[in-house]
Coordinates of all heavy atoms in Angstrom, one line a residue:
M1 N 87.6 110.4 81.8 CA 86.1 110.0 81.7 C 85.9 108.6 82.1 O 86.6 107.7 81.6 CB 85.7 110.2 80.2 CG 84.3 110.4 80.0 SD 83.8 110.6 78.3 CE 84.6 112.2 77.9
A2 N 85.0 108.4 82.9 CA 84.7 107.0 83.3 C 83.9 106.3 82.1 O 83.5 107.0 81.2 CB 83.8 107.0 84.5
M3 N 83.7 105.0 82.2 CA 82.9 104.3 81.2 C 81.5 104.1 81.8 O 81.3 104.2 83.0 CB 83.6 103.0 80.9 CG 85.0 103.0 80.5 SD 85.4 104.1 79.1 CE 84.7 103.2 77.8
R4 N 80.6 103.8 80.9 CA 79.3 103.5 81.3 C 78.8 102.3 80.5 O 79.2 102.0 79.4 CB 78.3 104.6 81.2 CG 78.0 105.0 79.7 CD 77.0 106.2 79.7 NE 75.7 105.8 80.2 CZ 74.8 105.2 79.4 NH1 75.0 104.9 78.1 NH2 73.6 104.9 79.9
I5 N 77.9 101.5 81.2 CA 77.3 100.4 80.5 C 75.8 100.7 80.1 O 75.0 101.2 80.9 CB 77.3 99.2 81.5 CG1 78.7 98.7 81.7 CG2 76.4 98.0 80.9 CD1 78.8 97.7 82.8
D6 N 75.5 100.5 78.8 CA 74.2 100.7 78.3 C 73.3 99.5 78.8 O 73.4 98.4 78.2 CB 74.2 100.8 76.8 CG 72.8 101.1 76.2 OD1 71.8 100.9 76.9 OD2 72.8 101.6 75.1
A7 N 72.5 99.8 79.8 CA 71.7 98.7 80.4 C 70.7 98.1 79.3 O 70.3 96.9 79.5 CB 70.9 99.2 81.6
D8 N 70.3 98.9 78.3 CA 69.4 98.3 77.3 C 70.0 97.3 76.5 O 69.3 96.4 75.9 CB 68.8 99.5 76.5 CG 67.9 100.4 77.2 OD1 67.3 99.9 78.2 OD2 67.7 101.5 76.8
Q9 N 71.3 97.4 76.3 CA 72.0 96.4 75.4 C 72.8 95.3 76.2 O 73.1 94.3 75.7 CB 73.1 97.2 74.6 CG 72.5 98.1 73.6 CD 73.6 98.7 72.7 OE1 74.4 98.0 72.1 NE2 73.7 100.0 72.7
C10 N 73.1 95.6 77.5 CA 73.9 94.6 78.3 C 73.1 93.3 78.4 O 71.9 93.3 78.7 CB 74.1 95.2 79.7 SG 74.9 94.1 80.8
I11 N 73.8 92.2 78.2 CA 73.2 90.9 78.2 C 73.5 90.2 79.6 O 73.3 89.0 79.7 CB 73.6 90.0 77.1 CG1 75.1 89.8 77.0 CG2 73.0 90.5 75.7 CD1 75.6 88.8 76.0
D12 N 74.1 91.0 80.5 CA 74.3 90.4 81.9 C 75.3 89.2 81.9 O 75.1 88.3 82.7 CB 73.0 90.0 82.5 CG 72.5 91.1 83.6 OD1 73.3 91.9 83.9 OD2 71.4 90.9 84.1
C13 N 76.3 89.2 81.0 CA 77.1 88.1 81.0 C 78.2 88.1 82.0 O 78.8 87.1 82.3 CB 77.7 87.9 79.6 SG 79.0 89.2 79.2
G14 N 78.6 89.3 82.5 CA 79.6 89.4 83.5 C 81.1 89.4 83.0 O 82.0 89.4 83.8
A15 N 81.2 89.3 81.7 CA 82.6 89.2 81.2 C 83.5 90.4 81.4 O 84.7 90.4 81.4 CB 82.5 89.0 79.7
C16 N 82.9 91.6 81.7 CA 83.6 92.8 82.0 C 84.2 92.9 83.4 O 85.0 93.8 83.6 CB 82.7 94.0 81.7 SG 81.1 93.9 82.6
V17 N 83.7 92.1 84.3 CA 84.0 92.3 85.7 C 85.5 92.0 86.0 O 86.3 92.8 86.6 CB 83.1 91.5 86.6 CG1 83.6 91.6 88.1 CG2 81.7 92.0 86.5
E18 N 85.9 90.8 85.6 CA 87.2 90.3 86.0 C 88.4 91.1 85.4 O 89.4 91.3 86.1 CB 87.3 88.8 85.6 CG 88.5 88.1 86.2 CD 89.7 88.2 85.4 OE1 89.6 88.3 84.1 OE2 90.8 88.2 85.9
P19 N 88.3 91.6 84.2 CA 89.4 92.3 83.6 C 89.6 93.7 84.2 O 90.6 94.3 84.0 CB 89.0 92.5 82.1 CG 87.9 91.5 81.9 CD 87.2 91.3 83.2
C20 N 88.6 94.2 85.0 CA 88.8 95.6 85.5 C 89.8 95.6 86.6 O 89.6 95.0 87.7 CB 87.4 96.1 86.0 SG 87.5 97.7 86.7
P21 N 90.8 96.4 86.4 CA 91.9 96.5 87.5 C 91.5 97.3 88.7 O 92.2 97.2 89.7 CB 93.0 97.3 86.7 CG 92.3 98.1 85.7 CD 91.1 97.3 85.3
N22 N 90.4 98.0 88.6 CA 89.9 98.8 89.7 C 88.7 98.3 90.4 O 88.1 99.0 91.3 CB 89.6 100.3 89.2 CG 90.9 101.0 88.8 OD1 91.9 100.9 89.5 ND2 90.8 101.7 87.7
Q23 N 88.2 97.1 90.1 CA 87.0 96.5 90.6 C 85.9 97.6 90.6 O 85.1 97.8 91.5 CB 87.2 96.1 92.1 CG 88.0 94.8 92.2 CD 89.5 95.2 92.4 OE1 89.9 96.0 93.2 NE2 90.4 94.5 91.6
A24 N 85.8 98.2 89.4 CA 84.8 99.3 89.3 C 83.4 98.8 88.7 O 82.5 99.6 88.7 CB 85.4 100.4 88.3
I25 N 83.3 97.5 88.4 CA 82.1 97.1 87.8 C 81.4 96.1 88.7 O 82.0 95.2 89.3 CB 82.4 96.4 86.4 CG1 83.1 97.3 85.5 CG2 81.1 95.8 85.8 CD1 83.4 96.8 84.1
R26 N 80.1 96.3 89.0 CA 79.4 95.5 89.9 C 78.2 94.9 89.2 O 77.6 95.4 88.3 CB 78.9 96.4 91.1 CG 80.0 97.0 91.9 CD 80.9 95.9 92.5 NE 82.2 96.5 92.7 CZ 82.7 97.2 93.7 NH1 81.8 97.5 94.7 NH2 83.9 97.7 93.7
R27 N 77.7 93.8 89.8 CA 76.5 93.1 89.3 C 75.3 93.9 89.5 O 75.1 94.6 90.6 CB 76.4 91.7 90.0 CG 75.2 90.9 89.5 CD 75.2 89.6 90.2 NE 76.4 88.7 89.8 CZ 76.4 88.0 88.6 NH1 75.3 88.1 87.8 NH2 77.4 87.3 88.3
G28 N 74.4 93.9 88.6 CA 73.1 94.7 88.8 C 72.4 94.3 90.0 O 72.3 93.1 90.4
G29 N 71.8 95.2 90.7 CA 71.0 94.9 91.9 C 71.8 94.8 93.2 O 71.3 94.8 94.3
E30 N 73.2 94.8 93.0 CA 74.0 94.6 94.2 C 74.5 96.0 94.7 O 75.0 96.8 93.9 CB 75.2 93.7 93.9 CG 74.9 92.3 93.9 CD 76.1 91.4 93.7 OE1 77.2 91.9 93.6 OE2 75.9 90.2 93.6
E31 N 74.4 96.2 96.0 CA 74.9 97.5 96.5 C 76.4 97.6 96.4 O 77.0 96.5 96.2 CB 74.4 97.7 97.9 CG 74.8 96.6 98.9 CD 74.1 96.8 100.2 OE1 73.1 97.5 100.4 OE2 74.6 96.1 101.2
Y32 N 77.0 98.7 96.6 CA 78.4 98.9 96.5 C 78.9 99.8 97.7 O 78.1 100.6 98.2 CB 78.9 99.4 95.2 CG 78.5 100.9 94.9 CD1 79.4 101.9 95.1 CD2 77.2 101.2 94.4 CE1 79.0 103.2 94.8 CE2 76.8 102.5 94.2 CZ 77.8 103.5 94.4 OH 77.4 104.8 94.1
T33 N 80.2 99.6 98.0 CA 80.8 100.4 99.1 C 81.9 101.2 98.6 O 82.7 100.8 97.7 CB 81.3 99.4 100.2 OG1 80.3 98.5 100.6 CG2 81.9 100.2 101.4
L34 N 81.9 102.5 99.0 CA 82.9 103.4 98.6 C 83.3 104.2 99.8 O 82.4 104.8 100.5 CB 82.3 104.4 97.6 CG 83.1 105.0 96.5 CD1 83.9 104.0 95.7 CD2 82.3 105.9 95.6
K35 N 84.6 104.2 100.2 CA 85.1 104.9 101.3 C 84.2 104.6 102.6 O 83.8 105.5 103.3 CB 85.1 106.4 101.1 CG 86.1 106.9 100.1 CD 86.1 108.4 99.9 CE 87.2 108.7 98.8 NZ 87.1 110.1 98.4
N36 N 84.0 103.3 102.8 CA 83.3 102.8 104.0 C 81.8 103.2 104.0 O 81.2 103.0 105.1 CB 84.0 103.3 105.3 CG 85.4 102.7 105.4 OD1 85.6 101.5 105.0 ND2 86.3 103.5 105.8
Q37 N 81.3 103.7 102.9 CA 79.8 104.0 102.9 C 79.2 103.1 101.9 O 79.8 102.8 100.8 CB 79.6 105.4 102.4 CG 80.0 106.5 103.5 CD 78.8 107.4 103.7 OE1 77.6 106.9 103.9 NE2 79.0 108.7 103.8
T38 N 78.0 102.6 102.2 CA 77.3 101.6 101.3 C 76.2 102.4 100.6 O 75.5 103.2 101.1 CB 76.8 100.5 102.1 OG1 77.8 99.8 102.8 CG2 76.1 99.5 101.2
Y39 N 76.2 102.1 99.3 CA 75.2 102.8 98.4 C 74.3 101.7 97.7 O 74.8 100.6 97.4 CB 75.9 103.6 97.4 CG 76.7 104.7 98.0 CD1 78.1 104.5 98.2 CD2 76.2 106.0 98.3 CE1 78.9 105.5 98.8 CE2 77.0 106.9 98.9 CZ 78.3 106.7 99.1 OH 79.1 107.7 99.7
P40 N 73.1 102.1 97.3 CA 72.3 101.1 96.6 C 72.8 100.9 95.2 O 73.5 101.8 94.6 CB 70.9 101.8 96.5 CG 71.1 103.2 96.9 CD 72.4 103.3 97.6
A41 N 72.4 99.8 94.6 CA 72.9 99.5 93.2 C 72.5 100.6 92.3 O 71.4 101.2 92.4 CB 72.2 98.2 92.7
L42 N 73.3 100.9 91.3 CA 73.0 102.0 90.3 C 72.2 101.5 89.1 O 71.7 102.3 88.3 CB 74.3 102.5 89.8 CG 75.2 103.2 90.8 CD1 76.5 103.7 90.2 CD2 74.5 104.4 91.5
S43 N 72.0 100.1 89.0 CA 71.3 99.6 87.9 C 70.8 98.2 88.2 O 71.4 97.5 89.1 CB 72.2 99.6 86.7 OG 71.6 98.9 85.6
D44 N 69.9 97.7 87.4 CA 69.5 96.3 87.5 C 70.5 95.4 86.7 O 70.4 94.2 86.8 CB 68.1 96.1 87.0 CG 67.1 96.7 87.9 OD1 67.4 96.8 89.1 OD2 66.0 97.0 87.5
K45 N 71.2 96.0 85.8 CA 72.2 95.3 85.0 C 73.6 95.6 85.6 O 73.7 96.5 86.5 CB 72.2 95.8 83.6 CG 70.9 95.5 82.9 CD 70.8 94.0 82.4 CE 69.5 93.7 81.6 NZ 69.6 94.3 80.3
F46 N 74.7 95.0 85.1 CA 76.0 95.3 85.5 C 76.2 96.8 85.3 O 75.7 97.4 84.4 CB 77.0 94.5 84.7 CG 77.2 93.1 85.2 CD1 76.3 92.1 84.8 CD2 78.2 92.8 86.1 CE1 76.4 90.8 85.2 CE2 78.3 91.5 86.6 CZ 77.4 90.5 86.1
Y47 N 77.0 97.4 86.3 CA 77.1 98.9 86.2 C 78.6 99.3 86.6 O 79.2 98.5 87.3 CB 76.1 99.6 87.0 CG 76.2 99.3 88.5 CD1 76.9 100.1 89.4 CD2 75.5 98.3 89.1 CE1 77.0 99.9 90.7 CE2 75.5 98.0 90.4 CZ 76.3 98.8 91.3 OH 76.4 98.5 92.6
V48 N 79.0 100.5 86.2 CA 80.3 101.0 86.5 C 80.2 102.1 87.6 O 79.3 103.0 87.5 CB 80.9 101.7 85.3 CG1 82.3 102.3 85.6 CG2 81.1 100.6 84.1
I49 N 81.0 101.9 88.6 CA 81.1 103.0 89.7 C 82.1 104.0 89.2 O 83.3 103.7 89.1 CB 81.6 102.4 91.0 CG1 80.6 101.3 91.5 CG2 81.7 103.4 92.1 CD1 81.2 100.4 92.5
H50 N 81.6 105.1 88.7 CA 82.4 106.1 88.0 C 83.6 106.6 88.9 O 84.7 106.8 88.4 CB 81.6 107.3 87.5 CG 81.2 108.3 88.5 ND1 82.1 109.3 88.8 CD2 80.1 108.4 89.2 CE1 81.5 110.1 89.7 NE2 80.3 109.6 90.0
Q51 N 83.4 106.6 90.2 CA 84.5 107.1 91.1 C 85.7 106.1 91.0 O 86.8 106.5 91.4 CB 84.1 107.2 92.5 CG 83.0 108.3 92.7 CD 81.6 107.7 92.7 OE1 81.3 106.8 92.0 NE2 80.7 108.4 93.4
L52 N 85.5 104.8 90.6 CA 86.6 103.8 90.6 C 87.1 103.6 89.2 O 88.1 102.9 89.1 CB 86.0 102.5 91.2 CG 85.6 102.5 92.6 CD1 85.1 101.1 93.1 CD2 86.7 103.0 93.6
C53 N 86.5 104.1 88.2 CA 86.9 103.8 86.8 C 87.9 104.9 86.4 O 87.6 106.1 86.4 CB 85.7 103.8 85.9 SG 86.2 103.7 84.1
T54 N 89.1 104.4 86.0 CA 90.1 105.3 85.4 C 90.3 105.2 83.9 O 91.3 105.6 83.4 CB 91.5 105.0 86.1 OG1 91.9 103.7 85.7 CG2 91.4 105.1 87.6
Q55 N 89.3 104.5 83.3 CA 89.4 104.2 81.9 C 90.7 103.3 81.7 O 91.3 103.3 80.6 CB 89.5 105.4 81.0 CG 88.6 105.4 79.8 CD 88.4 106.7 79.1 OE1 88.5 107.8 79.7 NE2 88.2 106.6 77.8
C56 N 91.0 102.6 82.7 CA 92.2 101.7 82.8 C 93.5 102.5 82.7 O 94.6 101.9 82.7 CB 92.2 100.7 81.7 SG 91.0 99.3 82.1
V57 N 93.5 103.8 82.8 CA 94.7 104.6 82.9 C 95.4 104.2 84.2 O 94.8 104.0 85.2 CB 94.4 106.1 82.9 CG1 95.6 106.9 83.3 CG2 93.9 106.5 81.5
G58 N 96.7 104.0 84.1 CA 97.5 103.5 85.2 C 97.8 102.0 85.2 O 98.6 101.5 86.0
Y59 N 97.1 101.4 84.3 CA 97.2 99.9 84.2 C 97.4 99.4 82.7 O 98.3 98.7 82.4 CB 96.0 99.2 84.7 CG 95.8 99.4 86.2 CD1 95.0 100.5 86.7 CD2 96.4 98.5 87.1 CE1 94.9 100.6 88.0 CE2 96.2 98.7 88.5 CZ 95.5 99.8 88.9 OH 95.3 100.0 90.3
Y60 N 96.5 99.9 81.9 CA 96.5 99.4 80.5 C 96.3 100.6 79.5 O 95.9 101.6 79.9 CB 95.4 98.4 80.2 CG 95.4 97.2 81.2 CD1 94.5 97.1 82.2 CD2 96.3 96.2 81.0 CE1 94.5 96.0 83.1 CE2 96.3 95.1 81.8 CZ 95.4 95.0 82.9 OH 95.4 93.9 83.7
D61 N 96.7 100.3 78.2 CA 96.5 101.4 77.2 C 95.1 101.5 76.8 O 94.7 102.5 76.2 CB 97.4 101.0 76.0 CG 98.9 101.1 76.3 OD1 99.2 101.9 77.3 OD2 99.7 100.5 75.6
E62 N 94.3 100.5 77.0 CA 92.9 100.5 76.5 C 91.9 100.0 77.6 O 92.3 99.2 78.4 CB 92.7 99.6 75.3 CG 93.4 100.0 74.1 CD 93.2 99.1 72.9 OE1 92.8 97.9 73.2 OE2 93.5 99.5 71.8
P63 N 90.7 100.5 77.6 CA 89.7 100.0 78.6 C 89.5 98.5 78.4 O 89.0 98.1 77.4 CB 88.5 100.8 78.3 CG 88.9 102.0 77.6 CD 90.2 101.6 76.8
Q64 N 89.8 97.8 79.4 CA 89.8 96.3 79.3 C 88.3 95.8 79.3 O 88.0 94.8 78.6 CB 90.5 95.7 80.5 CG 91.9 96.0 80.6 CD 92.7 95.5 79.4 OE1 92.9 94.3 79.2 NE2 93.2 96.4 78.6
C65 N 87.4 96.5 79.9 CA 86.0 96.1 79.9 C 85.4 96.2 78.5 O 84.6 95.3 78.1 CB 85.2 96.9 80.9 SG 85.3 98.7 80.6
V66 N 85.8 97.2 77.8 CA 85.3 97.4 76.4 C 85.8 96.2 75.5 O 85.0 95.7 74.8 CB 85.9 98.7 75.8 CG1 85.5 98.9 74.3 CG2 85.3 99.9 76.6
N67 N 87.0 95.8 75.7 CA 87.6 94.7 74.9 C 86.8 93.4 75.3 O 86.7 92.5 74.4 CB 89.1 94.5 75.2 CG 89.9 95.6 74.6 OD1 89.4 96.4 73.7 ND2 91.1 95.8 75.0
A68 N 86.4 93.3 76.5 CA 85.8 92.0 77.0 C 84.3 91.9 76.6 O 83.8 90.8 76.6 CB 86.0 91.9 78.5
C69 N 83.7 93.0 76.4 CA 82.2 93.0 76.2 C 81.8 92.5 74.8 O 82.2 93.0 73.8 CB 81.6 94.4 76.4 SG 79.8 94.4 76.2
P70 N 81.0 91.4 74.8 CA 80.6 90.8 73.5 C 79.6 91.6 72.7 O 79.4 91.3 71.5 CB 80.1 89.4 73.9 CG 79.6 89.6 75.3 CD 80.5 90.6 75.9
V71 N 79.0 92.5 73.3 CA 77.9 93.3 72.6 C 78.3 94.8 72.5 O 77.4 95.6 72.1 CB 76.5 93.1 73.2 CG1 76.1 91.6 73.1 CG2 76.5 93.5 74.7
D72 N 79.5 95.1 72.8 CA 79.9 96.5 72.6 C 79.0 97.6 73.3 O 78.6 98.6 72.6 CB 80.1 96.9 71.1 CG 81.2 96.1 70.5 OD1 82.2 95.7 71.2 OD2 81.2 95.8 69.3
C73 N 78.6 97.3 74.5 CA 77.7 98.2 75.1 C 78.3 99.1 76.2 O 77.7 99.7 77.0 CB 76.5 97.5 75.7 SG 76.8 96.5 77.1
I74 N 79.7 99.1 76.3 CA 80.4 99.9 77.2 C 81.0 101.1 76.5 O 81.8 100.9 75.6 CB 81.4 99.1 78.0 CG1 80.8 97.9 78.6 CG2 82.1 100.0 79.1 CD1 81.8 97.0 79.3
T75 N 80.7 102.3 76.9 CA 81.2 103.5 76.2 C 81.6 104.5 77.2 O 81.3 104.4 78.4 CB 80.1 104.1 75.2 OG1 78.9 104.3 76.0 CG2 79.8 103.2 74.1
A76 N 82.3 105.6 76.7 CA 82.7 106.7 77.6 C 81.5 107.4 78.2 O 80.5 107.6 77.4 CB 83.6 107.6 76.9
D77 N 81.5 107.7 79.4 CA 80.4 108.3 80.1 C 80.6 109.9 80.1 O 81.3 110.4 80.8 CB 80.4 107.9 81.6 CG 79.2 108.4 82.3 OD1 78.4 109.2 81.8 OD2 79.0 107.9 83.5
A78 N 79.8 110.5 79.2 CA 80.0 111.9 79.0 C 79.6 112.7 80.3 O 80.0 113.9 80.4 CB 79.1 112.4 77.8
A79 N 78.9 112.1 81.2 CA 78.5 112.8 82.4 C 79.6 112.9 83.4 O 79.6 113.7 84.3 CB 77.3 112.0 83.0
H80 N 80.7 112.1 83.1 CA 81.9 112.2 84.0 C 83.1 112.4 83.2 O 83.9 111.4 83.1 CB 81.9 110.9 84.9 CG 80.7 110.7 85.8 ND1 79.7 109.8 85.5 CD2 80.3 111.4 86.9 CE1 78.8 110.0 86.4 NE2 79.1 110.9 87.3
E81 N 83.3 113.6 82.7 CA 84.4 113.9 81.9 C 85.7 114.1 82.7 O 85.6 114.9 83.7 CB 84.1 115.1 81.0 CG 84.8 115.0 79.7 CD 84.2 115.9 78.6 OE1 83.0 116.0 78.6 OE2 85.0 116.5 77.9
E82 N 86.8 113.5 82.4 CA 88.1 113.7 83.1 C 89.2 113.7 82.0 O 89.2 113.0 81.1 CB 88.3 112.6 84.1 CG 87.3 112.6 85.2 CD 87.2 111.2 85.8 OE1 86.7 110.3 85.1 OE2 87.5 111.0 87.0
S83 N 90.2 114.6 82.3 CA 91.4 114.6 81.4 C 92.3 113.4 81.7 O 92.1 112.7 82.7 CB 92.2 115.8 81.6 OG 92.7 115.8 82.9
H84 N 93.2 113.1 80.8 CA 94.2 112.0 81.1 C 94.9 112.3 82.4 O 95.1 111.3 83.2 CB 95.1 111.9 79.9 CG 96.0 110.7 80.0 ND1 95.6 109.5 79.5 CD2 97.2 110.5 80.5 CE1 96.5 108.5 79.7 NE2 97.5 109.1 80.3
E85 N 95.3 113.5 82.6 CA 96.0 113.8 83.9 C 95.1 113.5 85.1 O 95.6 113.0 86.1 CB 96.4 115.3 83.9 CG 97.5 115.6 82.9 CD 97.1 115.6 81.4 OE1 95.9 115.8 81.2 OE2 97.9 115.3 80.6
Q86 N 93.9 113.9 85.0 CA 92.9 113.6 86.1 C 92.8 112.1 86.3 O 92.7 111.7 87.5 CB 91.6 114.3 85.9 CG 91.6 115.8 86.0 CD 90.2 116.4 85.6 OE1 89.7 116.1 84.5 NE2 89.7 117.3 86.4
L87 N 92.8 111.4 85.2 CA 92.6 109.9 85.4 C 93.9 109.3 86.0 O 93.8 108.4 86.8 CB 92.3 109.3 84.0 CG 91.0 109.6 83.4 CD1 90.8 109.1 82.0 CD2 89.9 108.9 84.3
E88 N 95.0 109.9 85.6 CA 96.3 109.4 86.2 C 96.3 109.6 87.7 O 96.7 108.8 88.5 CB 97.5 110.1 85.6 CG 97.9 109.5 84.3 CD 99.1 110.2 83.6 OE1 99.4 111.3 84.0 OE2 99.7 109.6 82.7
A89 N 95.9 110.8 88.1 CA 95.8 111.1 89.5 C 94.8 110.2 90.3 O 95.1 109.8 91.4 CB 95.4 112.6 89.7
K90 N 93.7 110.0 89.6 CA 92.7 109.1 90.2 C 93.3 107.7 90.4 O 93.1 107.1 91.5 CB 91.5 109.1 89.2 CG 90.2 108.5 89.7 CD 89.2 108.6 88.6 CE 87.8 108.2 89.0 NZ 86.9 108.3 87.8
A91 N 94.0 107.2 89.4 CA 94.6 105.9 89.5 C 95.6 105.8 90.7 O 95.6 104.8 91.4 CB 95.3 105.5 88.2
K92 N 96.4 106.9 90.8 CA 97.3 106.9 92.0 C 96.6 106.9 93.3 O 97.0 106.2 94.2 CB 98.2 108.2 91.9 CG 99.4 108.0 91.0 CD 100.3 109.2 91.2 CE 101.4 109.1 90.1 NZ 101.8 110.4 89.6
N93 N 95.5 107.6 93.4 CA 94.8 107.6 94.6 C 94.1 106.3 94.9 O 93.9 105.9 96.1 CB 93.7 108.7 94.6 CG 94.2 110.1 94.8 OD1 95.3 110.2 95.4 ND2 93.6 111.1 94.3
L94 N 93.7 105.6 93.9 CA 93.0 104.3 94.1 C 94.0 103.2 94.5 O 93.6 102.3 95.2 CB 92.2 103.9 92.8 CG 91.0 104.7 92.5 CD1 90.5 104.4 91.1 CD2 89.9 104.5 93.6
K95 N 95.2 103.2 93.9 CA 96.1 102.1 94.1 C 96.4 101.7 95.6 O 96.3 100.6 96.0 CB 97.4 102.3 93.3 CG 97.2 101.9 91.9 CD 98.5 102.1 91.1 CE 98.2 101.8 89.6 NZ 99.4 101.9 88.8
P96 N 96.6 102.8 96.4 CA 97.0 102.4 97.8 C 95.8 101.8 98.6 O 96.1 101.2 99.6 CB 97.3 103.8 98.5 CG 97.6 104.7 97.3 CD 96.7 104.2 96.2
Q97 N 94.6 101.9 98.1 CA 93.5 101.4 98.8 C 93.4 99.8 98.7 O 92.6 99.2 99.4 CB 92.2 101.9 98.2 CG 92.0 103.4 98.5 CD 90.8 104.0 97.8 OE1 89.9 103.2 97.4 NE2 90.7 105.3 97.7
K98 N 94.2 99.3 97.8 CA 94.1 97.8 97.6 C 95.0 97.0 98.6 O 96.0 97.5 98.9 CB 94.4 97.5 96.2 CG 93.3 98.0 95.4 CD 93.5 97.7 93.9 CE 92.6 98.5 93.1 NZ 93.1 98.7 91.8
Ligands
SF4_101 S1 87.6 101.2 81.8 FE1 89.0 99.9 83.0 S2 88.8 100.8 85.0 FE2 87.0 101.5 83.9 S3 85.4 100.0 84.3 FE3 86.4 99.4 82.4 S4 88.0 98.0 83.0 FE4 87.4 99.1 84.9
SF4_102 S1 80.5 92.4 79.2 FE1 79.0 93.7 78.3 S2 77.2 92.5 78.1 FE2 78.5 91.4 79.6 S3 77.9 92.2 81.6 FE3 79.6 93.5 80.9 S4 78.5 95.2 79.9 FE4 77.0 93.6 80.1

């Protein structure tokens, strides 16, 4: 399951960006690129690109963005449910792209 940022609670501090091993978090209003395609921003606040979020599986035991967020507004995204095995496979697929 990817993580999601609650835009109503996010204070736009950016503390979650640097700890993310998958560069899955972007600044609000900024477009993002995935597989050479550019997409519009998903939010006016910082947001998670669910295709890039492995819940930190493959890197850490816990989601690093959750630990970094001072207002606890990052939670599991029920709209993108994935098993641990699926997250491991996702992490393997993402690593060679770097
Ligand atoms: S859970 Fe990990 S991979 Fe997902 S957005 Fe947070 S820091 Fe990035
Ligand atoms: S750390 Fe939390 S409050 Fe700060 S930008 Fe990220 S989601 Fe928003």
Side-chain angles (χ1 to χ4, degrees):
M1 200 181 294
M3 306 305 286
R4 68 178 292 275
I5 292 171
D6 182 341
D8 289 337
Q9 292 184 55
C10 174
I11 57 170
D12 255 351
C13 71
C16 52
V17 174
E18 194 272 329
C20 178
N22 291 317
Q23 290 89 49
I25 301 177
R26 300 297 151 84
R27 181 176 292 279
E30 283 184 2
E31 57 188 19
Y32 67 100
T33 303
L34 207 56
K35 292 182 181 169
N36 296 321
Q37 286 235 46
T38 301
Y39 299 92
L42 298 177
S43 173
D44 290 338
K45 297 281 186 72
F46 281 84
Y47 64 90
V48 177
I49 302 165
H50 76 85
Q51 294 96 329
L52 297 181
C53 175
T54 64
Q55 225 170 329
C56 284
V57 168
Y59 295 91
Y60 304 104
D61 291 337
E62 295 178 340
Q64 300 298 293
C65 56
V66 173
N67 291 341
C69 180
V71 295
D72 292 332
C73 70
I74 308 176
T75 55
D77 185 354
H80 298 106
E81 210 162 320
E82 292 152 300
S83 67
H84 190 82
E85 289 71 27
Q86 285 173 314
L87 291 171
E88 279 179 341
K90 194 176 181 181
K92 270 191 194 149
N93 282 335
L94 288 172
K95 281 183 183 179
Q97 293 174 17
K98 293 181 193 155

